[in-house]
Amino acid sequence: MKYLVALTDPVYDPAAPISRLDAWLLQFLQDKRDLPFVYLILEISVTLLPLVGLLFVPGLPAAWWWAVFAVYLGLTTFYFKGPFGLMLHCTSHRILFKKKYARLNHYIPWVIGPLFGQTPETYLTHHLGMHHPENNLPDDESSTMYYQRDSVASFGRYLADFFLLGIPKLVLYLGRTSKPKLRFRLLRGEVIYLLTCLVLAFVNLPATLAVLILPVIVTRAVMMLGNWSQHAFIDAATPDNCYTNSVTCINTKYNHKCWNDGYHISHHLKPALHWTEHPAHFRQNLDQYTQNQAVVFDGIHFLHIFAYLMTRRYDLLARHFVNLGEQYQSEAEVVAFLKSRTRRIPRLAPLVAVAA
């Protein structure tokens, strides 16, 4: 069990020096605090796009192909995946480039997004079109409410449902809630992606599998793993309360690498809040976190949470649990509290509205 200390997560420093290149790039951006995104885009582009070209080179010797693929896989899966995925998340909520340069905003979802398993605009339509409006409640087709959230079998069913029915359910949801523009963007992206895979499969099947198909499988599994962990601890009495249906992770290297993604409670409270503002928002609303018995962890992130839940290592979760307001006397009390928040919520349980 931990107690709240100074936050070490990244914030914007207006006094930080900027280079001439920084100053030139800033003219394109809506928000100067997003300059790191531009450098990430450039880094991805100059490394991955040439590797993709090599993978599609006809007649490339097998040894060379596998060597290029190993480098490509390492970069996309272990080096860039987290920062890119959460950059996509941030830029879905807050437009990156100014209206004058609006076409540049298509580069992330349409050009480099598919290299990371993100079919064009599917993430945006799911995340902004359904997940945030429904807030993990029953109409959110990716809701975790009705699953036992420390069960491998339950997660397996959750993952299978998403892979088999996720897109059809999203299409139906967007139709049912009168969001035809988002539904069109979803279907357009999915169809173009599938047609591209089909055409490129005839050009170079191994490269198509490596560049476009395998990443989708990995990424969608990782996204569901993340959503499971972010919404694993739910108060059944107030499942619509962002303080009691989401998790916050502070003081972790993950927040430095992935743009403060650990602050999931404040993200649901204020979805458009800039990623650099989450630590301050957390501090400013600490009383609400305490009064609502919000689940806050120090020094771990969502992959840790998922692993500890699947192995039912509540002792490790309790070790990193932040005892806000000193409400708990022992780690045994914390374990009992966390277990109460991971129980499956019956489908007929009444939902009580709570103001954020």
Side-chain angles (χ1 to χ4, degrees), residues 12-80:
Y12 178 67
D13 179 8
I18 62 171
S19 67
R20 289 184 179 180
L21 179 58
D22 293 341
W24 183 76
L25 291 172
L26 286 173
Q27 68 180 307
F28 298 98
L29 301 183
Q30 291 267 46
D31 193 318
K32 60 186 177 181
R33 295 171 295 180
D34 290 330
L35 183 60
F37 292 162
V38 180
Y39 282 103
L40 177 60
I41 291 169
L42 293 173
E43 191 177 357
I44 289 171
S45 299
V46 300
T47 55
L48 294 189
L49 294 181
L51 292 174
V52 169
L54 284 173
L55 289 172
F56 275 94
V57 168
L60 188 70
W64 280 97
W65 193 93
W66 283 106
V68 172
F69 174 63
V71 174
Y72 180 81
L73 185 65
L75 289 174
T76 55
T77 305
F78 301 107
Y79 185 71
F80 286 130

Side-chain angles (χ1 to χ4, degrees), residues 7 9-13 31 33-34 90 94 259-260 263 266-267 270-285 289:
L7 295 177
D9 298 315
V11 295
Y12 178 67
D13 179 8
D31 193 318
R33 295 171 295 180
D34 290 330
C90 291
R94 298 172 62 94
W259 326 110
N260 279 331
Y263 289 84
S266 54
H267 177 60
K270 300 187 71 174
L273 188 68
H274 194 269
W275 62 273
T276 60
E277 297 176 2
H278 284 287
H281 184 276
F282 173 71
R283 279 290 190 185
Q284 292 162 3
N285 293 275
Y289 281 80

